[in-house]
Amino acid sequence: MITEFDTSLPSIRQVQNLIKEGAAIQIKLLTGDLLTGKMIWQDVQCLCCVDDHNQHVTVWKQAIAYIKPM
Amino acid sequence: MITEFDTSLPSIRQVQNLIKEGAAIQIKLLTGDLLTGKMIWQDVQCLCCVDDHNQHVTVWKQAIAYIKPM
Amino acid sequence: MITEFDTSLPSIRQVQNLIKEGAAIQIKLLTGDLLTGKMIWQDVQCLCCVDDHNQHVTVWKQAIAYIKPM
Amino acid sequence: MITEFDTSLPSIRQVQNLIKEGAAIQIKLLTGDLLTGKMIWQDVQCLCCVDDHNQHVTVWKQAIAYIKPM
Amino acid sequence: MITEFDTSLPSIRQVQNLIKEGAAIQIKLLTGDLLTGKMIWQDVQCLCCVDDHNQHVTVWKQAIAYIKPM
Amino acid sequence: MITEFDTSLPSIRQVQNLIKEGAAIQIKLLTGDLLTGKMIWQDVQCLCCVDDHNQHVTVWKQAIAYIKPM
């Protein structure tokens, strides 16, 4: 899988901004799980969210339904 | 993932029109969630919908089942 | 995503025929939803179905399990 | 999506044989649906199964969990 | 879809070994199904498992969650 | 599927570190399963986790929702 992280995409930039701002967000997964916390990094495959228990949760982007601010 | 946003596709154009018109829409997700609101932008990976609580919800297109007008 | 709409595929041609015939069809989605209506266009990513309430439903092909005539 | 239908694959050949033999099969879908019938054609995206009610069901291969003989 | 079966991958080699050994395995599918049996071949798209009823089940790799020995 | 294992990705490196450290982790799958154990290897398609019963579970990355430390 040739991986190119296209920072010109609004969706990629929006996640970058949420990371910079340290915004509290909700991530709804295709499993039905609703993760809450702050994103600390993203790449083409995953993003990392520090949850309310200060745990680093590596989320596979393939499993994301939507992200929205708390 | 080489990303090319093909605006010649009817489906891409249709979402662009719904954005321009500010149409109220329903988005059914593979999680079973039914989001309602107005779309404000899209890219190859996601679209952003302002929901009835004026929150910006970034929806991953991989999770979309269908979109239809309210 | 380089998009090539391969009209030599039997599955693409079959949907084109169902569109031309205005055939009434059922679309079963991975969400479990069963949409009924008539397809009016398709592209590599989506197809559009006018449902029994005359609403235009844009269905993402990624969410389709099967299509069959009514 | 560049589409190449690789008939050297055992899985493609196996479906071709089941079609030639007119074998009765079960197709389990990711929706949990269990379709039964006889396959009549396949391409890279779909396969077509004539079900027990003699209806042509176009199944998207993306939705298939497994296929097995009756 | 350009198909290259990369036998240098540990996961491909592991399945090859399980096939050679005729090991009894469990395959958990995204449908929640738990298939048990012995794998007899794999390709880039599928693997074939002979189940406890001696039936050849062609499993689409897209539907696999995990494989583990009995 | 041309397979390139991009070790520059933070997500790939993070799994590599968890493997080196022998960290106990939880893997949430799209089936809803929650696997616990220690990862011993990964490739572009799968990762292998030794579970609490000392069984080697080969997990398809396509089925992963998230990974987090115990």
Side-chain angles (χ1 to χ4, degrees):
Chain A
M1 187 174 51
I2 302 163
T3 56
E4 274 165 57
F5 191 48
D6 185 347
T7 53
S8 71
L9 289 185
S11 55
I12 300 275
R13 281 209 312 274
Q14 187 185 40
V15 170
Q16 295 293 93
N17 293 337
L18 290 168
I19 289 171
K20 269 185 221 141
E21 292 156 19
I25 48 105
Q26 298 178 10
I27 307 176
K28 183 68 178 269
L29 300 183
L30 292 174
T31 53
D33 288 285
L34 191 65
L35 303 179
T36 56
K38 294 181 180 177
M39 292 184 289
I40 55 170
W41 57 256
Q42 70 167 326
D43 64 25
V44 71
Q45 186 173 259
C46 298
L47 56 81
C48 187
C49 170
V50 180
D51 70 13
D52 303 339
H53 312 289
N54 210 24
Q55 285 205 302
H56 288 220
V57 184
T58 306
V59 178
W60 257 254
K61 284 188 172 178
Q62 69 197 8
I64 298 177
Y66 62 77
I67 289 181
K68 68 176 184 183
M70 291 295 285
Chain B
M1 189 174 52
I2 302 163
T3 56
E4 274 165 57
F5 191 47
D6 185 346
T7 53
S8 70
L9 289 185
S11 56
I12 301 274
R13 282 211 309 276
Q14 186 186 41
V15 170
Q16 295 293 93
N17 293 337
L18 290 168
I19 290 170
K20 269 186 222 139
E21 293 155 19
I25 47 105
Q26 298 178 7
I27 307 176
K28 182 68 178 268
L29 300 183
L30 292 174
T31 53
D33 288 285
L34 191 64
L35 302 179
T36 56
K38 294 181 180 177
M39 291 185 289
I40 54 170
W41 57 257
Q42 70 168 326
D43 64 24
V44 72
Q45 184 173 260
C46 297
L47 56 81
C48 186
C49 171
V50 180
D51 70 12
D52 305 340
H53 312 289
N54 211 22
Q55 285 205 303
H56 288 219
V57 184
T58 306
V59 178
W60 257 252
K61 284 187 173 179
Q62 69 195 9
I64 298 177
Y66 63 77
I67 289 181
K68 68 176 183 181
M70 291 295 286
Chain C
M1 188 174 50
I2 301 162
T3 56
E4 274 164 57
F5 192 47
D6 186 346
T7 52
S8 72
L9 290 184
S11 54
I12 300 275
R13 282 210 310 277
Q14 187 186 41
V15 170
Q16 295 293 96
N17 293 338
L18 290 168
I19 290 170
K20 268 186 224 141
E21 292 156 19
I25 47 104
Q26 299 178 8
I27 307 177
K28 181 69 179 269
L29 301 183
L30 292 174
T31 53
D33 287 288
L34 191 64
L35 302 180
T36 55
K38 294 181 179 176
M39 292 184 289
I40 55 170
W41 56 257
Q42 70 168 326
D43 64 24
V44 72
Q45 183 173 259
C46 298
L47 55 81
C48 186
C49 169
V50 179
D51 70 12
D52 305 340
H53 312 289
N54 212 21
Q55 285 205 302
H56 289 220
V57 184
T58 306
V59 178
W60 257 252
K61 284 187 173 178
Q62 68 195 11
I64 297 176
Y66 64 77
I67 288 181
K68 68 177 184 181
M70 291 294 284
Chain D
M1 186 174 50
I2 300 163
T3 55
E4 274 165 56
F5 191 47
D6 185 346
T7 52
S8 71
L9 290 184
S11 55
I12 301 274
R13 281 209 312 276
Q14 187 185 41
V15 170
Q16 295 293 95
N17 292 338
L18 290 169
I19 289 171
K20 267 186 225 142
E21 291 155 20
I25 47 103
Q26 299 179 9
I27 307 177
K28 182 67 179 271
L29 300 183
L30 292 174
T31 53
D33 287 288
L34 192 64
L35 301 181
T36 55
K38 294 181 179 177
M39 292 184 289
I40 54 170
W41 56 256
Q42 71 167 326
D43 64 23
V44 71
Q45 184 173 260
C46 298
L47 55 81
C48 187
C49 171
V50 179
D51 69 13
D52 304 340
H53 312 288
N54 211 22
Q55 286 205 301
H56 288 219
V57 184
T58 306
V59 177
W60 257 252
K61 284 187 173 178
Q62 69 195 9
I64 298 176
Y66 64 78
I67 288 181
K68 68 177 184 180
M70 292 294 285
Chain E
M1 187 172 52
I2 301 162
T3 55
E4 272 164 58
F5 191 47
D6 185 347
T7 52
S8 71
L9 289 185
S11 54
I12 301 275
R13 279 209 313 273
Q14 187 186 41
V15 170
Q16 295 295 95
N17 292 338
L18 290 168
I19 289 171
K20 267 185 223 143
E21 292 156 20
I25 48 104
Q26 299 179 8
I27 307 176
K28 183 67 178 271
L29 301 183
L30 293 174
T31 53
D33 288 287
L34 191 64
L35 301 180
T36 57
K38 295 182 178 177
M39 292 185 289
I40 55 169
W41 57 257
Q42 70 167 326
D43 63 24
V44 71
Q45 185 173 261
C46 298
L47 57 80
C48 186
C49 170
V50 179
D51 70 12
D52 304 339
H53 312 289
N54 211 24
Q55 286 205 301
H56 288 218
V57 184
T58 306
V59 178
W60 257 253
K61 284 187 172 179
Q62 69 195 10
I64 298 175
Y66 63 77
I67 289 181
K68 68 177 185 181
M70 292 293 285
Chain F
M1 189 173 50
I2 300 164
T3 55
E4 273 165 58
F5 192 47
D6 184 348
T7 52
S8 72
L9 290 185
S11 55
I12 301 275
R13 281 209 312 275
Q14 187 185 41
V15 170
Q16 295 294 95
N17 293 337
L18 290 168
I19 290 171
K20 269 185 220 141
E21 292 156 19
I25 48 103
Q26 298 178 9
I27 307 176
K28 183 67 178 270
L29 301 183
L30 292 174
T31 53
D33 287 287
L34 191 64
L35 302 180
T36 56
K38 295 182 179 176
M39 291 185 290
I40 55 170
W41 57 257
Q42 71 167 326
D43 64 25
V44 71
Q45 185 173 258
C46 298
L47 57 81
C48 187
C49 170
V50 180
D51 69 11
D52 304 339
H53 312 289
N54 210 24
Q55 285 206 302
H56 289 218
V57 184
T58 306
V59 178
W60 257 253
K61 285 187 173 179
Q62 69 196 8
I64 299 176
Y66 62 77
I67 288 180
K68 68 177 185 182
M70 292 293 286

